[in-house]
Amino acid sequence: MAASEDLEELPGVGPATADKLQENGFESYQSIAVASPAELSNQADVGESSASDIINAAREAADIGGFETGADVLERREEIGKLEWLVPEIDEMLGGGVETQSITEVYGEFGAGKSQVTHQLAVNVQLQDELGGLHGRCIFVDSEDTFRPERIDEMVRGLDDEILEAELDHREIDGNVDDEGALEALVEDFLDKIHVAKAFNSNHQILLAEKALDIAKDHEDDDYPVRLLCVDSLTAHFRAEYVGRGELANRQQKLNKHLHDLDRVGNLYNAAVLVTNQVQSNPDAFFGDPTKPIGGNILGHKSTFRLYLKKSKGNKRIVKLVDAPNLPDGESVMRVENDGLKPE
């Protein structure tokens, strides 16, 4: 954590302002540098002009915000982690898995398996890097009462025996995959590294995204830092509370702020951000699938990767890569089993 006197070195930041900044999660030059003047003005109780000066000074001190060469970008992108689904066909389609420092949106109709994906990745993210994980913990914002620890239990037990053995050994849990006591201890250890909060309305959901920054900061130097932030679902409360065209602008404005808060966690702490989204039917579509995600252009532009989940026969699901900056569109098939997501 940046000490108060460090923040006071920024122009216009005295002891009282430094305390307010820290109370609202602005504990480093970098966190201030990526804020907007309006946001900093509201949080620190300073004028927008002063807030702008503080942000510019923080950007200079943190050495961000300027141009860099393509080689610099390539070097920085080497820090990006890939979180595997452990379904080879999907991981290949995604270029190795879900990226950190990006927002990945998974949308589909009810029962398509969106929540199953969030649960599976909350397990997978804790695995060691060489096993397809990111050796990190998960923050889970639950807006539809979907989180079930029983599913985590089933999915941990559903991991390959080699992975289970490696995790038992890595977490220093005595026993093997045939030892029920060892497996129970392993499941409990996985659950301990998932931070869950239920969002009761859109304002509470926005607040929880801000609190996620605190959790990520608290565990930044831990053995298991925050490497995944899930929101299931991103749009349910916004859709229910802002009804009609008259509320559309207000809804989109709040959704935009919420997405920026989520993105900040991903960028500041090298975490993957996974959001699920509901869908609506497009009556103008005469050909093809009339289903489209809600959230409009704001969500479409902010999501780096967009995945469409479709039901198929039985427990099969089609995963369609709809949008990605560096990957071709594609389709893969997986099965949703009691013990997790599996290859076809």
Side-chain angles (χ1 to χ4, degrees):
M1 180 185 294
S4 178
E5 55 267 20
D6 291 335
L7 295 185
E8 288 176 39
E9 292 180 8
L10 297 173
V13 178
T17 302
D19 288 342
K20 286 182 180 178
L21 287 170
Q22 289 191 339
E23 287 171 7
N24 288 283
F26 297 100
E27 298 174 327
S28 66
Y29 290 156
Q30 188 174 11
S31 61
I32 295 172
V34 296
S36 68
E39 180 184 12
L40 203 69
S41 175
N42 290 333
Q43 301 280 11
D45 196 21
V46 297
E48 281 207 27
S49 177
S50 297
S52 182
D53 290 341
I54 293 171
I55 289 169
N56 288 332
R59 285 175 179 171
E60 187 173 338
D63 195 25
I64 66 170
F67 286 95
E68 55 188 348
T69 67
D72 292 333
V73 175
L74 179 61
E75 183 178 351
R76 181 163 46 80
R77 280 192 58 80
E78 289 176 356
E79 300 174 4
I80 289 175
K82 300 272 191 170
L83 172 57
E84 294 183 13
W85 292 44
L86 298 180
V87 179
E89 189 180 352
I90 295 176
D91 289 327
E92 183 178 351
M93 180 179 71
L94 293 177
V98 176
E99 281 193 3
T100 60
Q101 301 181 35
S102 297
I103 294 179
T104 298
E105 174 196 356
V106 176
Y107 69 90
E109 63 182 346
F110 174 79
K114 303 184 296 295
S115 295
Q116 306 303 317
V117 173
T118 59
H119 282 69
Q120 186 70 67
L121 292 185
V123 169
N124 295 0
V125 71
Q126 300 185 38
L127 303 177
Q128 301 163 64
D129 294 359
E130 59 270 23
L131 299 177
L134 296 174
H135 201 273
R137 63 185 66 235
C138 170
I139 298 173
F140 198 112
V141 178
D142 181 3
S143 71
E144 293 190 286
D145 195 26
T146 54
F147 182 79
R148 294 293 181 271
E150 298 86 356
R151 287 297 289 140
I152 300 297
D153 186 320
E154 293 172 335
M155 289 176 170
V156 170
R157 293 170 184 269
L159 294 169
D160 289 346
D161 284 354
E162 290 183 7
I163 294 177
L164 287 173
E165 291 284 8
E167 286 297 309
L168 286 168
D169 182 58
H170 181 72
R171 297 174 192 233
E172 299 180 347
I173 298 173
D174 293 333
N176 54 46
V177 293
D178 298 320
D179 184 343
E180 179 59 27
L183 287 179
E184 287 181 1
L186 183 62
V187 169
E188 185 175 348
D189 203 53
F190 269 87
L191 286 169
D192 280 343
K193 294 177 175 60
I194 303 174
H195 304 260
V196 186
K198 185 174 179 180
F200 295 101
N201 53 50
S202 61
N203 285 328
H204 187 216
Q205 186 173 323
I206 290 171
L207 177 64
L208 290 175
E210 296 170 358
K211 293 296 183 184
L213 271 172
D214 296 335
I215 296 175
K217 180 66 179 176
D218 290 342
H219 294 282
E220 185 177 12
D221 298 321
D222 284 5
D223 192 30
Y224 282 84
V226 171
R227 286 289 179 260
L228 176 65
L229 170 57
C230 289
V231 183
D232 187 20
S233 98
L234 176 74
T235 48
H237 286 315
F238 292 91
R239 188 181 195 182
E241 294 168 25
Y242 298 91
V243 181
R245 288 189 175 275
E247 293 289 332
L248 183 59
N250 193 23
R251 183 188 83 175
Q252 293 302 90
Q253 186 178 14
K254 294 191 89 171
L255 184 59
N256 189 33
K257 180 193 181 303
H258 185 42
L259 285 165
H260 276 83
D261 289 340
L262 298 173
D263 197 32
R264 179 180 298 163
V265 177
N267 283 310
L268 288 179
Y269 298 102
N270 194 24
V273 180
L274 178 73
V275 301
T276 67
N277 190 13
Q278 299 180 343
V279 295
Q280 62 187 6
S281 181
N282 181 12
D284 298 330
F286 291 102
F287 303 100
D289 193 336
T291 303
K292 68 174 185 177
I294 67 171
N297 290 332
I298 282 177
L299 181 52
H301 290 310
K302 195 61 181 171
S303 298
T304 312
F305 301 91
R306 304 192 93 177
L307 295 167
Y308 177 23
L309 258 59
K310 293 190 290 185
K311 296 178 183 177
S312 187
K313 293 181 179 179
N315 61 3
K316 289 185 180 179
R317 298 293 185 271
I318 298 170
V319 184
K320 185 175 182 180
L321 180 61
V322 176
D323 188 31
N326 59 334
L327 298 169
D329 293 350
E331 281 190 0
S332 300
V333 180
M334 67 177 182
R335 292 179 293 114
V336 179
E337 303 279 8
N338 288 336
D339 56 355
L341 308 182
K342 303 296 179 183
E344 183 186 7

Coordinates of all heavy atoms in Angstrom, one line a residue, residues 216-267:
A216 N -8.5 -7.5 -4.2 CA -7.4 -7.8 -5.1 C -6.1 -7.1 -4.5 O -5.0 -7.7 -4.6 CB -7.6 -7.2 -6.5
K217 N -6.3 -5.9 -3.9 CA -5.2 -5.2 -3.3 C -4.7 -6.0 -2.1 O -3.5 -6.2 -1.9 CB -5.6 -3.8 -2.9 CG -4.5 -3.0 -2.2 CD -3.3 -2.7 -3.2 CE -2.3 -1.9 -2.5 NZ -1.1 -1.7 -3.4
D218 N -5.6 -6.5 -1.3 CA -5.2 -7.2 0.0 C -4.5 -8.5 -0.3 O -3.6 -8.9 0.5 CB -6.5 -7.6 0.8 CG -7.2 -6.3 1.4 OD1 -6.5 -5.3 1.5 OD2 -8.4 -6.4 1.7
H219 N -4.7 -9.1 -1.5 CA -4.1 -10.4 -1.8 C -3.0 -10.3 -2.8 O -2.6 -11.3 -3.4 CB -5.2 -11.4 -2.2 CG -6.1 -11.8 -1.1 ND1 -5.8 -12.7 -0.1 CD2 -7.4 -11.4 -0.9 CE1 -6.8 -12.8 0.7 NE2 -7.8 -12.0 0.3
E220 N -2.7 -9.0 -3.2 CA -1.7 -8.8 -4.3 C -0.4 -9.6 -4.1 O 0.2 -10.1 -5.0 CB -1.4 -7.3 -4.4 CG -0.6 -7.0 -5.6 CD -0.4 -5.5 -5.8 OE1 -0.7 -4.7 -4.8 OE2 0.1 -5.1 -6.8
D221 N 0.1 -9.6 -2.9 CA 1.4 -10.3 -2.6 C 1.2 -11.7 -2.0 O 2.2 -12.3 -1.5 CB 2.2 -9.4 -1.6 CG 2.5 -8.0 -2.3 OD1 2.8 -8.0 -3.5 OD2 2.4 -7.0 -1.5
D222 N 0.0 -12.2 -2.0 CA -0.2 -13.5 -1.4 C 0.3 -14.6 -2.4 O 0.6 -14.3 -3.6 CB -1.7 -13.8 -1.2 CG -2.2 -13.1 0.0 OD1 -1.5 -12.3 0.6 OD2 -3.4 -13.2 0.4
D223 N 0.4 -15.8 -1.9 CA 0.7 -17.0 -2.7 C -0.3 -17.2 -3.8 O 0.0 -17.6 -4.9 CB 0.9 -18.2 -1.9 CG 1.5 -19.4 -2.6 OD1 2.3 -19.1 -3.6 OD2 1.2 -20.5 -2.3
Y224 N -1.6 -16.9 -3.5 CA -2.7 -17.0 -4.5 C -3.3 -15.6 -4.6 O -4.3 -15.2 -4.0 CB -3.8 -18.0 -4.0 CG -3.4 -19.4 -4.1 CD1 -2.6 -20.1 -3.2 CD2 -3.9 -20.1 -5.2 CE1 -2.3 -21.4 -3.4 CE2 -3.6 -21.5 -5.4 CZ -2.8 -22.1 -4.5 OH -2.5 -23.4 -4.6
P225 N -2.8 -14.8 -5.5 CA -3.4 -13.4 -5.8 C -4.7 -13.6 -6.6 O -5.0 -14.6 -7.1 CB -2.3 -12.7 -6.6 CG -1.6 -13.8 -7.3 CD -1.6 -15.0 -6.4
V226 N -5.5 -12.5 -6.6 CA -6.7 -12.6 -7.4 C -6.4 -12.6 -8.9 O -5.7 -11.8 -9.4 CB -7.6 -11.3 -7.2 CG1 -8.8 -11.2 -8.1 CG2 -8.1 -11.3 -5.7
R227 N -6.9 -13.7 -9.6 CA -6.6 -13.8 -11.0 C -7.9 -14.0 -11.8 O -7.8 -14.1 -13.0 CB -5.7 -15.0 -11.2 CG -4.2 -14.8 -10.8 CD -3.5 -13.9 -11.8 NE -2.1 -13.6 -11.4 CZ -1.7 -12.6 -10.7 NH1 -2.6 -11.6 -10.4 NH2 -0.5 -12.4 -10.4
L228 N -9.0 -14.0 -11.2 CA -10.3 -14.1 -11.9 C -11.4 -13.3 -11.1 O -11.5 -13.5 -9.9 CB -10.7 -15.6 -12.0 CG -12.1 -15.8 -12.7 CD1 -12.1 -15.4 -14.2 CD2 -12.4 -17.3 -12.6
L229 N -12.1 -12.5 -11.9 CA -13.3 -11.8 -11.4 C -14.5 -12.2 -12.2 O -14.5 -12.0 -13.4 CB -13.1 -10.3 -11.4 CG -14.3 -9.4 -11.1 CD1 -14.9 -9.7 -9.8 CD2 -13.9 -7.9 -11.3
C230 N -15.5 -12.9 -11.6 CA -16.7 -13.4 -12.3 C -17.9 -12.5 -11.9 O -18.0 -12.2 -10.7 CB -17.0 -14.8 -12.0 SG -15.9 -16.0 -12.7
V231 N -18.7 -12.2 -12.8 CA -20.0 -11.5 -12.5 C -21.1 -12.3 -13.3 O -21.1 -12.3 -14.5 CB -20.0 -10.0 -13.0 CG1 -21.3 -9.4 -12.6 CG2 -18.8 -9.3 -12.4
D232 N -21.9 -12.9 -12.5 CA -23.0 -13.8 -13.0 C -24.3 -13.4 -12.4 O -24.6 -13.7 -11.3 CB -22.7 -15.2 -12.7 CG -23.6 -16.2 -13.4 OD1 -24.3 -15.8 -14.4 OD2 -23.7 -17.4 -12.9
S233 N -25.2 -12.6 -13.1 CA -24.9 -12.1 -14.4 C -24.7 -10.6 -14.4 O -25.2 -9.9 -13.5 CB -26.1 -12.4 -15.3 OG -27.1 -11.4 -15.5
L234 N -24.0 -10.1 -15.4 CA -23.7 -8.7 -15.5 C -25.0 -7.8 -15.6 O -25.1 -6.8 -15.0 CB -22.8 -8.4 -16.7 CG -22.4 -7.0 -17.0 CD1 -21.4 -6.5 -15.9 CD2 -21.9 -6.8 -18.4
T235 N -25.9 -8.2 -16.4 CA -27.0 -7.4 -16.8 C -28.4 -7.6 -16.2 O -29.3 -6.8 -16.4 CB -27.2 -7.5 -18.4 OG1 -27.2 -8.9 -18.7 CG2 -26.0 -6.9 -19.1
A236 N -28.5 -8.6 -15.4 CA -29.9 -8.9 -14.9 C -30.5 -7.8 -14.1 O -31.7 -7.4 -14.4 CB -29.8 -10.2 -14.0
H237 N -29.8 -7.2 -13.1 CA -30.4 -6.1 -12.3 C -30.6 -4.9 -13.2 O -31.6 -4.2 -13.0 CB -29.4 -5.8 -11.2 CG -29.5 -6.8 -10.1 ND1 -30.6 -7.3 -9.6 CD2 -28.4 -7.3 -9.3 CE1 -30.3 -8.2 -8.6 NE2 -29.0 -8.2 -8.4
F238 N -29.7 -4.6 -14.1 CA -29.8 -3.4 -14.9 C -31.1 -3.5 -15.8 O -31.8 -2.6 -16.0 CB -28.6 -3.2 -15.8 CG -27.4 -2.8 -15.0 CD1 -26.5 -3.7 -14.5 CD2 -27.1 -1.4 -14.7 CE1 -25.4 -3.4 -13.8 CE2 -26.0 -1.1 -14.0 CZ -25.1 -2.0 -13.5
R239 N -31.3 -4.7 -16.3 CA -32.4 -5.0 -17.2 C -33.7 -4.9 -16.5 O -34.7 -4.4 -17.0 CB -32.2 -6.4 -17.8 CG -33.2 -6.8 -18.9 CD -33.0 -8.2 -19.4 NE -33.7 -8.5 -20.6 CZ -33.6 -9.6 -21.2 NH1 -33.0 -10.6 -20.7 NH2 -34.3 -9.8 -22.4
A240 N -33.7 -5.3 -15.2 CA -35.0 -5.3 -14.4 C -35.3 -3.9 -13.9 O -36.5 -3.6 -13.8 CB -34.9 -6.3 -13.3
E241 N -34.3 -3.1 -13.6 CA -34.5 -1.8 -12.9 C -34.7 -0.7 -13.9 O -35.3 0.3 -13.5 CB -33.4 -1.5 -12.0 CG -33.3 -2.5 -10.8 CD -32.0 -2.4 -10.1 OE1 -31.3 -1.3 -10.1 OE2 -31.5 -3.4 -9.4
Y242 N -34.1 -0.8 -15.1 CA -34.2 0.3 -16.0 C -35.1 -0.1 -17.2 O -34.5 -0.7 -18.2 CB -32.8 0.8 -16.5 CG -32.0 1.3 -15.3 CD1 -31.2 0.5 -14.6 CD2 -32.1 2.7 -15.0 CE1 -30.4 1.0 -13.5 CE2 -31.3 3.2 -13.9 CZ -30.5 2.3 -13.2 OH -29.8 2.8 -12.1
V243 N -36.4 0.1 -17.1 CA -37.3 -0.4 -18.1 C -37.8 0.7 -19.0 O -38.2 1.8 -18.5 CB -38.5 -1.1 -17.4 CG1 -39.5 -1.7 -18.4 CG2 -38.0 -2.2 -16.5
G244 N -37.8 0.5 -20.3 CA -38.3 1.4 -21.2 C -37.3 2.3 -21.8 O -36.2 2.5 -21.3
R245 N -37.6 2.9 -23.0 CA -36.6 3.8 -23.7 C -36.2 5.0 -22.8 O -35.1 5.5 -23.0 CB -37.2 4.2 -25.0 CG -37.3 3.1 -26.0 CD -37.6 3.6 -27.4 NE -37.6 2.6 -28.4 CZ -36.5 2.2 -29.1 NH1 -35.4 2.7 -28.8 NH2 -36.6 1.2 -30.0
G246 N -37.1 5.5 -22.0 CA -36.8 6.6 -21.2 C -35.7 6.4 -20.2 O -35.0 7.3 -19.8
E247 N -35.5 5.1 -19.8 CA -34.4 4.8 -18.9 C -33.2 4.3 -19.5 O -32.2 4.0 -18.8 CB -35.0 3.7 -17.9 CG -36.1 4.2 -17.0 CD -35.5 5.2 -15.9 OE1 -34.4 5.0 -15.6 OE2 -36.3 6.0 -15.5
L248 N -33.2 4.1 -20.9 CA -32.1 3.5 -21.5 C -30.7 4.2 -21.4 O -29.7 3.6 -21.1 CB -32.4 3.4 -23.0 CG -31.3 2.6 -23.9 CD1 -31.1 1.2 -23.4 CD2 -31.8 2.6 -25.4
A249 N -30.8 5.5 -21.5 CA -29.5 6.3 -21.4 C -28.9 6.2 -20.0 O -27.7 6.0 -19.9 CB -29.8 7.8 -21.8
N250 N -29.8 6.3 -19.0 CA -29.3 6.2 -17.6 C -28.7 4.8 -17.4 O -27.7 4.6 -16.7 CB -30.4 6.5 -16.6 CG -29.9 6.7 -15.2 OD1 -28.8 7.0 -15.0 ND2 -30.8 6.5 -14.3
R251 N -29.4 3.8 -17.9 CA -28.9 2.4 -17.7 C -27.6 2.2 -18.3 O -26.7 1.6 -17.7 CB -29.9 1.4 -18.3 CG -29.6 -0.1 -18.1 CD -30.4 -1.0 -18.9 NE -30.0 -1.2 -20.3 CZ -30.5 -2.0 -21.1 NH1 -31.5 -2.8 -20.8 NH2 -30.1 -2.1 -22.4
Q252 N -27.4 2.7 -19.6 CA -26.2 2.4 -20.3 C -25.0 3.2 -19.6 O -23.9 2.7 -19.6 CB -26.3 2.9 -21.7 CG -27.3 2.0 -22.5 CD -26.9 0.5 -22.5 OE1 -27.3 -0.3 -21.7 NE2 -26.1 0.1 -23.5
Q253 N -25.3 4.4 -19.1 CA -24.3 5.1 -18.4 C -23.8 4.4 -17.2 O -22.6 4.3 -16.9 CB -24.9 6.5 -18.0 CG -23.8 7.5 -17.4 CD -24.4 8.8 -17.1 OE1 -25.6 9.0 -17.1 NE2 -23.6 9.8 -16.9
K254 N -24.7 3.9 -16.4 CA -24.3 3.1 -15.2 C -23.6 1.8 -15.5 O -22.6 1.4 -14.9 CB -25.5 2.8 -14.3 CG -26.2 4.1 -13.7 CD -27.2 3.8 -12.7 CE -26.5 3.7 -11.3 NZ -27.5 3.6 -10.2
L255 N -24.1 1.2 -16.6 CA -23.4 -0.1 -17.0 C -22.0 0.2 -17.5 O -21.1 -0.6 -17.2 CB -24.3 -0.7 -18.2 CG -23.8 -2.1 -18.7 CD1 -23.8 -3.1 -17.6 CD2 -24.7 -2.5 -19.8
N256 N -21.8 1.3 -18.2 CA -20.5 1.7 -18.7 C -19.5 1.9 -17.5 O -18.4 1.4 -17.6 CB -20.6 3.0 -19.5 CG -19.3 3.3 -20.2 OD1 -18.6 2.4 -20.7 ND2 -19.1 4.6 -20.4
K257 N -20.0 2.6 -16.5 CA -19.1 2.8 -15.3 C -18.8 1.5 -14.7 O -17.6 1.2 -14.3 CB -19.8 3.7 -14.3 CG -18.9 4.0 -13.1 CD -19.7 4.6 -11.9 CE -18.8 4.8 -10.7 NZ -18.1 3.6 -10.2
H258 N -19.8 0.6 -14.5 CA -19.6 -0.7 -13.9 C -18.5 -1.5 -14.7 O -17.6 -2.1 -14.1 CB -20.9 -1.4 -13.9 CG -20.9 -2.7 -13.2 ND1 -20.2 -3.0 -12.0 CD2 -21.4 -4.0 -13.5 CE1 -20.4 -4.2 -11.6 NE2 -21.1 -4.8 -12.5
L259 N -18.6 -1.5 -16.0 CA -17.6 -2.2 -16.8 C -16.2 -1.6 -16.7 O -15.2 -2.4 -16.6 CB -18.1 -2.1 -18.3 CG -19.2 -3.0 -18.7 CD1 -19.8 -2.6 -20.0 CD2 -18.8 -4.5 -18.7
H260 N -16.1 -0.3 -16.5 CA -14.8 0.3 -16.3 C -14.2 -0.1 -15.0 O -13.0 -0.4 -14.8 CB -14.9 1.8 -16.5 CG -14.8 2.3 -17.9 ND1 -15.9 2.3 -18.7 CD2 -13.8 2.7 -18.6 CE1 -15.5 2.8 -19.9 NE2 -14.2 3.0 -19.9
D261 N -15.1 -0.2 -14.0 CA -14.6 -0.7 -12.6 C -14.1 -2.1 -12.7 O -13.1 -2.5 -12.1 CB -15.7 -0.6 -11.6 CG -16.1 0.8 -11.2 OD1 -15.2 1.7 -11.5 OD2 -17.2 1.1 -10.7
L262 N -14.8 -3.0 -13.4 CA -14.4 -4.4 -13.6 C -13.1 -4.4 -14.4 O -12.2 -5.2 -14.0 CB -15.5 -5.2 -14.3 CG -16.8 -5.3 -13.7 CD1 -17.8 -6.0 -14.6 CD2 -16.7 -6.1 -12.3
D263 N -13.0 -3.6 -15.4 CA -11.8 -3.6 -16.3 C -10.6 -3.2 -15.5 O -9.4 -3.7 -15.7 CB -12.0 -2.7 -17.5 CG -11.0 -3.0 -18.6 OD1 -10.6 -4.1 -18.7 OD2 -10.7 -2.0 -19.3
R264 N -10.8 -2.3 -14.5 CA -9.7 -1.8 -13.7 C -9.1 -2.9 -12.9 O -7.8 -3.0 -12.8 CB -10.1 -0.6 -12.8 CG -9.0 -0.1 -12.0 CD -9.5 1.1 -11.1 NE -10.0 2.2 -11.9 CZ -10.7 3.2 -11.4 NH1 -11.1 3.1 -10.1 NH2 -11.1 4.2 -12.2
V265 N -9.9 -3.7 -12.3 CA -9.4 -4.9 -11.5 C -8.5 -5.7 -12.4 O -7.4 -6.2 -12.0 CB -10.6 -5.7 -10.9 CG1 -10.0 -6.9 -10.2 CG2 -11.4 -4.8 -10.0
G266 N -9.0 -6.0 -13.6 CA -8.3 -6.9 -14.5 C -6.9 -6.3 -14.9 O -5.9 -7.0 -15.0
N267 N -6.9 -5.0 -15.2 CA -5.7 -4.3 -15.7 C -4.7 -4.1 -14.6 O -3.5 -4.3 -14.7 CB -6.0 -3.0 -16.4 CG -6.5 -3.2 -17.8 OD1 -6.0 -4.0 -18.6 ND2 -7.7 -2.6 -18.1

